Amino acid sequence: MPLIRLAAGLNRPGKMGERLETAEKHCKAQDRPKSCDLCEVRGQSICADLGPREFLHVEKTMARRAVVKNKTLMIEGEPNESLYIVVDGSFRLSKVLEDGRRQVTGFLFKGDFVGVRSTKASAYTAEALEDSSVCYFPHRYLDEIAIDAPGVKDRLIARGQTEYHKAQDHIVLLGKKTAEERVISFIDLISKNIGSSDGPSRRRVPLPMSRQDIADYLGLRLETLSRTLAALKQDGSLLELARHYVVIAA
Amino acid sequence: MKPEWRKYLGVRAPRYTSYPSALHFDEQATAADYERRLGEVGLYEPLSLYVHIPFCRQLCWYCGCNMRVENDYSRALRYVRALNTEIQTVGRHLGGAGRPLSVHFGGGTPNYLKVAEIGDILGAIELALGLTDGTRLAIELDPRLIADGDIERLAGLGFNRMSLGVQDFDAEVQAAINRLQSFEMIESAVGEMRRVGVNDISFDLLYGLPKQTHDSFTETLEKTIALSPDRVAVFGYAHLPSALPRQRLLDETLLPPEETRADLAGRADDMLVASGYRRVGFDHYAKPDNLLARADLEGRLRRNFQGFTDDVADTMLGFGASAIGYVGGLYAQNAKTLGDYYRRTDSQELATMRGLILSPREMAIGRTIRELLCRSQADIAALLASLAPTEANAVCARLDALEADGLISWEGDLVALAPEARPLSRVVAMALDPYEKAMAGNSLRSLARAV
């Protein structure tokens, strides 16, 4: 019974257990969905490639949890033994640099993955930017499934973006020559992930993260970011500029 | 100081702001080497940036820096354009990798430039290399060139550490070194820095200058302590007229004798420590709540071209004429003359002209020497293992002699500096350095006294 095995895992002594228990307290609903059939991201990307038999395995081992805004899914330097898929909401990935400052390294949206490998020390902290929910698969069970259904893990993550893709996105953005290019490329990136139509030839791009997060991510000072956003609004590149969204031409 | 240590006072020793010192750099290291290593910098690898501004309004006769007196500001604007190009070129080779944790403007005189130009350079860094609100910005300032509102504008750009070249408050000493600056001038600069919220103010003091006496330097220290800077660096003046011809302007007959030099250094140490400053390394002092003091207390003190530092980045990028960077085991120094520097930057090339690719043994020696200078003790096992047997024997023989004189204690692989021998740290460092003996002929001309 996967649920019982999972619960046993949670009660294991040690840091991992403690952290999950802490995470537990921040979870509104840690029950797994009645059926993955109801999952809104399933057909969209994540589990769509799985065969019926593989899917049965996956459905048994996964669990859904809600992560309240500002709470962490995984913490840099602490063990992580699960693969997480963002089902709803968004997360900020960050790491602490040698001088103690936080570097924003990426953002996770619906359909993205984090925790691709089981590790004793996570390379990132993942923090919810809004009330969010994830499905998680303990690597231990994914490995067990692999005996019966080889390659299932690879195929699970094949279609979503992982933290490694995020690093690629980031270096491309940081290589842009001007602040305008950097900000526009960033908005395009978010648009591809979670943008939605906002009437004829308009696309609404949510920005669930703070301006400071965006500035840190893009290697810009806050003042430069604000100035650049204002200039992009002025020249018409942004049709609307609001605190938590922008509208661009589709 | 113990009588048997007197013989070490006149010893010439490198400052070990790098290992090997820049005297060992040659043209074997090229722009291509620098380019390759820039391409290997990791995505979030911490970077420490140094920007060199080689201009001054007036020549100080003690100066050993790469600088020129310039009266035509359009030449400075020309230099800023070249700097911006160099920054873009380096940024292109990094391709988005690396994160600047700190930017240090040194010189020459960084505030020879107007604040607008300094802002332009920061803007270029922001776009080419990334700059966030947390990046620590430091600048060296000549108090004589601080115009009304400059400090506030610099703070507005994000400079949170300002360093004043005080040298000495005594008017006669100032006249003898051609650097006249009143106490009121420094006092008002410090007041302005405090007013705009700069909470990391450094003073540089120099001992061993002409006309300095026990009493005059005591007064300089009293004035320093009254202004309460967060850090004080007390450097020994290095009189090397044959290597630095401009020092011939200074009247040699007015230089204090060796014994006085040691006394002045000791006086500074006594007074600053009695006023609550923490000793950091062999020539820095910091208030206990200052970042540098905390780094020292927590064993995180480092040494780079700016002296002792709490900067954590291993990778340093130098911008501007003669600036030195360190990336992945390579020291890369830019062209020293403006002509060469402009030729390189105008064609969008890296400006590296000299440098050194470190061998594993040089890295091992450098690590050990830095450990000794930053922690007052070092494990010498890796160093000895990296040396040829004759060299290792020579190092041990030199350490034996230092131990016999009580400068160090030596147990197993651990060499520890005697607390009172701190002013002689560089002598002990030199004992660990197999290069220095080979350089002995050269050293007299180009190295400073240890104290």
Side-chain angles (χ1 to χ4, degrees):
Chain A
M1 293 312 283
L3 259 184
I4 293 163
R5 287 158 69 186
L6 200 57
L10 288 177
N11 291 331
R12 252 193 358 263
K15 255 194 168 173
M16 173 66 180
E18 282 165 30
R19 188 174 61 75
L20 279 178
E21 275 164 35
T22 317
E24 201 81 340
K25 287 176 200 153
H26 307 312
C27 289
K28 279 178 180 162
Q30 56 107 33
D31 58 316
R32 78 191 236 258
K34 297 273 183 303
S35 159
C36 285
D37 294 343
L38 298 175
C39 176
E40 52 179 307
V41 295
R42 181 188 163 189
Q44 191 184 323
S45 68
I46 313 170
C47 302
D49 289 346
L50 302 177
R53 208 167 69 118
E54 290 166 336
F55 194 79
L56 205 64
H57 279 298
V58 167
E59 192 176 18
K60 271 188 204 162
T61 55
M62 63 79 71
R64 175 80 63 88
R65 65 171 67 237
V67 186
V68 179
K69 182 178 177 174
N70 295 333
K71 296 301 176 191
T72 52
L73 187 61
M74 47 194 284
I75 297 173
E76 183 181 0
E78 295 198 2
N80 176 58
E81 290 161 14
S82 296
L83 171 73
Y84 298 93
I85 303 174
V86 180
V87 176
D88 194 23
S90 54
F91 290 83
R92 177 184 61 217
L93 296 179
S94 65
K95 59 193 289 154
V96 174
L97 298 185
E98 278 83 340
D99 71 335
R101 275 181 19 229
R102 190 194 66 189
Q103 169 69 49
V104 175
T105 60
F107 300 98
L108 299 175
F109 303 105
K110 210 181 270 188
D112 286 342
F113 292 76
V114 70
V116 173
R117 287 197 187 87
S118 149
T119 173
K120 290 202 175 79
S122 301
Y124 308 89
T125 294
E127 205 172 346
L129 290 167
E130 55 197 310
D131 288 351
S132 304
S133 61
V134 296
C135 284
Y136 69 100
F137 303 79
H139 282 284
R140 197 144 62 94
Y141 303 126
L142 286 176
D143 294 342
E144 280 175 21
I145 298 169
I147 300 166
D148 197 32
V152 66
K153 192 157 137 185
D154 292 343
R155 288 168 51 206
L156 257 182
I157 60 179
R159 291 185 64 167
Q161 282 214 318
T162 67
E163 57 252 56
Y164 305 107
H165 296 102
K166 297 293 172 184
Q168 276 307 311
D169 286 346
H170 199 194
I171 197 148
V172 167
L173 280 176
L174 292 171
K176 300 280 179 196
K177 293 269 178 310
T178 68
E180 284 77 9
E181 281 181 277
R182 247 182 255 179
V183 172
I184 282 290
S185 306
F186 172 73
I187 291 171
D188 284 345
L189 193 75
I190 308 286
S191 172
K192 284 195 193 93
N193 278 284
I194 51 170
S196 59
S197 173
D198 188 54
S201 35
R202 284 164 62 92
R203 202 164 162 80
R204 185 188 165 104
V205 184
L207 298 175
M209 65 296 285
S210 71
R211 291 286 194 267
Q212 188 68 64
D213 285 343
I214 301 175
D216 286 353
Y217 180 63
L218 296 179
L220 297 172
R221 287 172 289 181
L222 191 55
E223 195 201 321
T224 309
L225 174 70
S226 306
R227 209 173 49 229
T228 307
L229 283 169
L232 291 171
K233 173 73 172 56
Q234 187 75 30
D235 75 10
S237 305
L238 300 179
L239 303 175
E240 269 186 65
L241 170 62
R243 193 170 152 74
H244 280 304
Y245 71 91
V246 291
V247 176
I248 56 175
Chain B
M1 184 168 284
K2 295 184 185 175
E4 63 270 31
W5 292 1
R6 291 238 169 91
K7 62 175 178 271
Y8 295 111
L9 293 180
V11 171
R12 312 263 172 170
R15 289 176 38 75
Y16 291 113
T17 50
S18 68
Y19 186 83
S21 87
L23 295 171
H24 296 265
F25 293 179
D26 61 28
E27 284 161 16
Q28 309 253 334
T30 63
D33 293 313
Y34 190 39
E35 179 179 334
R36 188 164 54 250
R37 280 165 176 79
L38 287 174
E40 290 164 0
V41 167
L43 180 52
Y44 304 120
E45 190 172 322
L47 304 177
S48 165
L49 311 187
Y50 174 77
V51 181
H52 189 72
I53 308 299
F55 305 112
C56 290
R57 191 66 61 76
Q58 192 182 331
L59 184 67
C60 305
W61 292 340
Y62 59 81
C63 181
C65 313
N66 177 38
M67 56 69 67
R68 58 189 273 161
V69 174
E70 185 56 74
N71 294 311
D72 180 354
Y73 196 69
S74 70
R75 298 227 172 90
L77 293 175
R78 167 76 177 94
Y79 185 77
V80 171
R81 280 202 304 279
L83 263 179
N84 287 353
T85 314
E86 189 197 5
I87 290 164
Q88 285 168 28
T89 304
V90 169
R92 201 173 65 237
H93 292 302
L94 284 170
R99 313 300 293 143
L101 298 188
S102 66
V103 186
H104 186 107
F105 282 73
T109 306
N111 64 323
Y112 179 91
L113 296 182
K114 298 200 175 80
V115 177
E117 271 70 61
I118 294 170
D120 286 350
I121 298 169
L122 282 180
I125 291 172
E126 181 174 16
L127 293 183
L129 312 166
L131 203 62
T132 56
D133 298 287
T135 307
R136 286 171 59 197
L137 305 180
I139 187 165
E140 298 168 7
L141 298 170
D142 180 338
R144 298 168 300 176
L145 298 187
I146 298 173
D148 274 354
D150 276 1
I151 301 282
E152 187 163 10
R153 282 192 288 271
L154 287 169
L157 286 178
F159 283 93
N160 40 27
R161 182 174 165 223
M162 298 189 185
S163 170
L164 285 168
V166 171
Q167 325 309 351
D168 195 301
F169 280 112
D170 187 88
E172 279 192 49
V173 175
Q174 291 184 1
I177 57 174
N178 197 38
R179 188 180 173 115
L180 291 171
Q181 48 189 28
S182 66
F183 176 77
E184 289 69 27
M185 198 182 261
I186 310 275
E187 187 181 32
S188 106
V190 170
E192 185 66 2
M193 290 172 193
R194 295 291 183 209
R195 192 182 68 76
V196 300
V198 175
N199 58 13
D200 198 348
I201 301 175
S202 315
F203 279 13
D204 285 352
L205 299 182
L206 267 179
Y207 67 84
L209 292 174
K211 293 262 191 175
Q212 267 178 345
T213 64
H214 180 91
D215 290 348
S216 80
F217 202 54
T218 299
E219 213 179 307
T220 284
L221 288 159
E222 280 165 356
K223 287 177 174 165
T224 298
I225 289 161
L227 292 177
S228 191
D230 304 280
R231 316 184 189 193
V232 182
V234 185
F235 299 122
Y237 165 57
H239 188 60
L240 305 161
S242 53
L244 302 166
R246 67 171 84 104
Q247 290 185 343
R248 287 182 201 141
L249 292 165
L250 187 147
D251 186 349
E252 269 188 347
T253 64
L254 301 176
L255 288 172
E258 239 160 51
E259 288 285 310
T260 308
R261 281 176 69 96
D263 172 59
L264 298 176
R267 188 81 186 122
D269 187 76
D270 291 345
M271 289 179 68
L272 290 168
V273 171
S275 305
Y277 285 87
R278 178 183 174 88
R279 289 186 187 103
V280 178
F282 56 79
D283 54 8
H284 284 45
Y285 298 84
K287 286 186 183 171
D289 60 346
N290 184 265
L291 292 169
L292 189 70
R294 291 218 301 267
D296 183 44
L297 187 68
E298 292 161 15
R300 293 183 285 104
L301 188 66
R302 313 265 301 237
R303 187 155 177 80
N304 66 15
F305 289 105
Q306 280 85 57
F308 290 100
T309 177
D310 58 310
D311 201 310
V312 298
D314 286 320
T315 301
M316 293 178 280
L317 305 181
F319 298 94
S322 79
I324 303 174
Y326 179 80
V327 192
L330 167 81
Y331 282 115
Q333 181 168 33
N334 279 351
K336 287 185 188 169
T337 68
L338 292 184
D340 286 341
Y341 179 67
Y342 293 156
R343 257 189 298 286
R344 289 292 191 88
T345 50
D346 284 354
S347 49
Q348 267 115 62
E349 290 172 62
L350 294 170
T352 310
M353 292 281 259
R354 297 166 63 76
L356 198 66
I357 298 166
L358 299 192
S359 64
R361 93 186 208 131
E362 285 164 335
M363 290 196 200
I365 298 163
R367 263 194 302 275
T368 312
I369 287 178
R370 281 191 296 275
E371 197 183 325
L372 179 89
L373 296 179
C374 295
R375 320 251 182 284
S376 295
Q377 58 173 54
D379 184 324
I380 61 167
L383 175 134
L384 292 178
S386 75
L387 300 181
T390 49
E391 290 170 326
N393 286 339
V395 166
C396 290
R398 291 197 290 270
L399 290 176
D400 274 333
L402 294 177
E403 191 184 27
D405 282 335
L407 264 75
I408 57 165
S409 64
W410 184 10
E411 294 279 345
D413 290 326
L414 199 69
V415 169
L417 201 64
E420 327 80 78
R422 180 176 161 273
L424 296 170
S425 301
R426 286 157 56 208
V427 173
V428 178
M430 198 164 64
L432 297 172
D433 182 357
Y435 267 26
E436 267 328 305
K437 294 300 134 180
M439 289 276 291
N442 236 341
S443 345
L444 201 61
R445 211 174 142 258
S446 50
L447 295 180
R449 285 165 204 279
V451 174

